[in-house]
Structures are given as structure tokens and as C-alpha cells.
DNA sequence: ATGGTTGAATGTCAA
């Protein structure tokens, strides 16, 4: 059975519904992990997504953050936040068990700028995620950590690594924090299939014609435990929706797994 | 030098 997961930072689910619905019809992945919904739960546009054939689980807050998981099959379980005793004050983590796979969907903090309180919050969020993974899951089990990581893992993952060196998104401390989580037992599905490709998933609205000029970053990842990585048959970035009318500043990443071989 | 645009909300912040 070929099973495709996608991750998509939509930058406002309500503003992005035309793009999301068109893209779901085109690609029809089994699972879609969404970030930056920017909507309270009571206002989440579940009905049109259900009409498109998906079960919908979400956790949001007013104006900022917010995550959702769309699945063709009913999840066995959905969890919101860390539930680790510290306050779950920002809607950045939703976890679901579906089709025998644990999905960990994160909108990691952006960090604003190196040294800012938000930057410290970002680094701590990565540490907290690693501790939470250790406490709740086994790297031997089929698990996918995906979402907007807000870190370009390596220099190849940013359009101008010299200019961005040490800046937020490329700082060594952030890259170490990302590696620390991955070190639990996760590998980058896109990089596994495309070791040398300079392919971005985010192009800033604020840079003039950034998409046309390909001034971007690869911030959106699909990270799989070993058993899943071994049956990952393909991974791609679908740049097309970034060129549509009223696009998100991010575009979807897809990874396909042969779950029958697990 | 610190620009530029977008979403949510309707101030202005976050990205």
C-alpha cells in the first residue's frame, strides 16, 4: 500500500482555503499536516475539508500559530500539546496515531532574531520536544516528525548561506537543536532521496519576487524513524502552489511510504 | 541601511 504524507504551512487556513482545497484535489495524500492555521478551534473551517474526504483534528489559538492534521482514515488517537506538566501556552504541537503511524506535527517557533527572548524560547522548544519524544515514544516504532521546523538544516538549504550565516534560521545553535531532536532516531526523507538538491519550501513575501528568483529556504521537513525511512519510496517538494493566486509563503512537502513492507 | 508583504484583527504583532 502506497501511503503519502504531506506537510504544508498554510499561513492562515481561512485565507488559504481555495489553495488548500485545489491542492488536495490534485494530490490527494493520505495525511496532511498543517501549520499556522491562525484560527481558534470554534472558527476552524472543518466542513469543506471533510467534504473533500478528510477527517480533521486541530488545535489553534487567536491570530497566531495553530496546527491541524487531515487524514483519510479516522485516527485512533489525537493528542494536543506536550502534556508534560509545563504550560502548553502556544498551539504548536498535535500528535495523531493513524494507519499504524504516529504523526508528530509541529510548528516550531520562528525565534525572531538571535539573542531575543523568542530565540531562547525556540531553542527550549526543540529541547522540550526531544525530552517528550524520549518519554512517550520509541525510535523503534513507526513515527514521523514533520512540520515547519523554522531551521534550514544545512547551508544547501538556504539561498545565500554566506549572507545568512549566524542569522535566525541558520544559527549553529538552532541547527544543533534540530540535530538533537533528529538524533533521537529520525532521518530527513527529502534529503535521503535528493542528497545534493538545492530545493526550498519557503520564499519570503517580503523579498521582492523571491519565488521567481528562487530566494528561499528549506524549512519544512518530513523526518522518519528508521523502520519508516527504510520503506520511504519517494519524497518531493511541490512548488506549484507557491505560484498560485494568493499563495502561502510556504509550499507542501510530500513523502511516500510502502506501509505494507513495515 | 533594518527596507519589503501577508494574515488576523481592526492595534499592531508575528513572520
Amino acid at each position: 500500500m502506497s501511503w503519502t504524507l504531506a506537510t504544508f504551512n498554510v499561513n492562515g487556513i481561512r485565507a488559504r482555503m481555495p489553495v488548500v482545497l485545489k491542492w488536495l484535489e490534485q494530490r490527494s495524500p493520505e495525511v496532511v499536516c498543517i501549520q499556522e492555521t491562525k484560527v481558534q478551534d470554534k472558527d476552524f473551517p472543518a466542513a469543506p475539508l471533510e467534504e473533500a474526504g478528510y477527517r480533521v483534528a486541530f488545535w489553534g489559538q487567536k491570530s497566531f500559530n495553530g496546527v491541524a492534521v487531515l487524514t483519510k482514515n479516522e485516527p485512533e488517537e489525537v493528542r494536543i500539546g506536550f502534556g508534560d506538566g509545563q504550560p502548553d501556552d502556544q498551539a504548536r504541537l498535535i500528535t495523531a496515531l493513524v494507519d499504524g503511524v504516529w504523526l508528530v506535527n509541529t510548528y516550531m517557533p520562528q525565534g525572531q532574531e538571535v539573542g531575543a527572548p523568542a530565540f531562547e524560547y525556540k531553542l527550549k522548544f526543540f529541547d522540550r520536544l526531544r525530552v517528550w519524544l524520549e518519554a512517550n515514544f520509541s525510535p523503534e516504532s513507526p513515527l514521523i516528525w514533520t512540520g515547519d521546523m523554522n531551521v534550514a538544516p544545512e547551508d544547501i538549504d538556504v539561498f545565500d548561506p554566506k549572507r545568512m550565516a549566524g542569522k535566525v534560521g541558520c544559527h549553529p545553535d538552532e541547527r544543533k537543536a534540530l540535530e538533537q531532536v533528529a538524533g533521537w532516531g529520525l532521518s530527513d526523507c527529502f534529503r535521503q532521496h535528493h542528497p545534493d538538491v538545492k530545493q526550498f519550501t519557503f520564499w519570503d513575501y517580503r523579498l521582492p519576487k523571491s519565488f521567481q528568483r528562487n530566494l528561499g529556504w528549506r524549512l519544512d521537513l518530513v523526518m522518519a524513524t528508521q523502520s519508516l525511512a527504510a520503506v520511504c519510496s519517494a519524497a518531493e517538494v511541490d512548488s506549484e502552489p507557491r505560484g498560485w493566486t494568493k499563495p502561502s509563503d510556504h509550499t507542501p512537502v510530500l513523502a511516500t511510504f510502502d506501509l505494507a513492507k513495515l
Side-chain angles (χ1 to χ4, degrees):
Chain A
M1 164 188 155
S2 177
W3 184 89
T4 298
L5 168 142
T7 181
F8 191 6
N9 178 324
V10 297
N11 188 21
I13 186 79
R14 288 172 291 178
R16 213 63 60 214
M17 284 304 277
V19 165
V20 170
L21 291 171
K22 178 180 173 183
W23 186 78
L24 288 176
E25 193 170 356
Q26 271 193 8
R27 301 303 302 259
S28 196
E30 275 66 34
V31 171
V32 187
C33 293
I34 291 177
Q35 306 85 35
E36 274 206 275
T37 56
K38 295 185 171 181
V39 65
Q40 300 170 88
D41 291 347
K42 69 181 179 68
D43 296 322
F44 191 94
L49 297 167
E50 287 164 354
E51 283 160 27
Y54 289 91
R55 315 291 181 120
V56 185
F58 46 87
W59 180 37
Q61 63 186 87
K62 198 173 177 178
S63 296
F64 310 118
N65 310 320
V67 282
V69 180
L70 315 182
T71 56
K72 289 197 169 173
N73 295 321
E74 180 81 49
E76 284 178 49
E77 194 176 336
V78 175
R79 300 180 192 174
I80 292 311
F82 289 103
D84 59 1
Q86 295 175 245
D88 278 306
D89 57 336
Q90 299 191 10
R92 296 181 178 275
L93 168 64
I94 187 167
T95 306
L97 174 60
V98 68
D99 302 327
V101 178
W102 276 106
L103 310 171
V104 176
N105 176 22
T106 55
Y107 174 50
M108 301 302 281
Q110 191 270 350
Q112 294 184 347
E113 66 179 303
V114 176
F119 189 78
E120 297 308 310
Y121 183 87
K122 179 180 194 173
L123 296 179
K124 287 202 174 92
F125 202 93
F126 277 92
D127 291 346
R128 188 179 177 189
L129 184 67
R130 163 81 197 227
V131 169
W132 173 83
L133 282 170
E134 285 174 358
N136 291 281
F137 302 98
S138 162
E140 309 300 315
S141 70
L143 180 146
I144 291 171
W145 173 38
T146 190
D148 177 359
M149 307 312 181
N150 264 316
V151 178
E154 299 178 278
D155 280 354
I156 191 176
D157 298 311
V158 63
F159 68 97
D160 188 342
K162 283 181 184 163
R163 185 168 129 198
M164 296 303 165
K167 298 274 173 47
V168 70
C170 291
H171 192 278
D173 290 353
E174 296 169 76
R175 288 179 170 170
K176 273 183 216 147
L178 176 65
E179 283 168 16
Q180 273 291 110
V181 180
W184 175 74
L186 296 157
S187 62
D188 183 332
C189 294
F190 180 83
R191 217 24 108 207
Q192 174 186 334
H193 286 279
H194 310 283
D196 305 311
V197 176
K198 195 156 184 163
Q199 168 66 60
F200 307 130
T201 67
F202 162 81
W203 298 264
D204 200 323
Y205 294 131
R206 294 169 296 184
L207 276 172
K209 301 204 184 302
S210 62
F211 182 56
Q212 292 87 334
R213 297 158 69 202
N214 199 27
L215 306 179
W217 306 61
R218 192 173 71 98
L219 304 178
D220 302 273
L221 308 181
V222 180
M223 307 284 285
T225 53
Q226 180 53 44
S227 58
L228 273 174
V231 300
C232 180
S233 56
E236 66 165 306
V237 175
D238 184 358
S239 296
E240 209 187 289
R242 185 62 179 83
W244 293 350
T245 304
K246 292 273 282 177
S248 171
D249 44 1
H250 294 250
T251 209
V253 182
L254 303 97
T256 300
F257 302 86
D258 190 348
L259 294 188
K261 287 187 187 160
L262 267 180

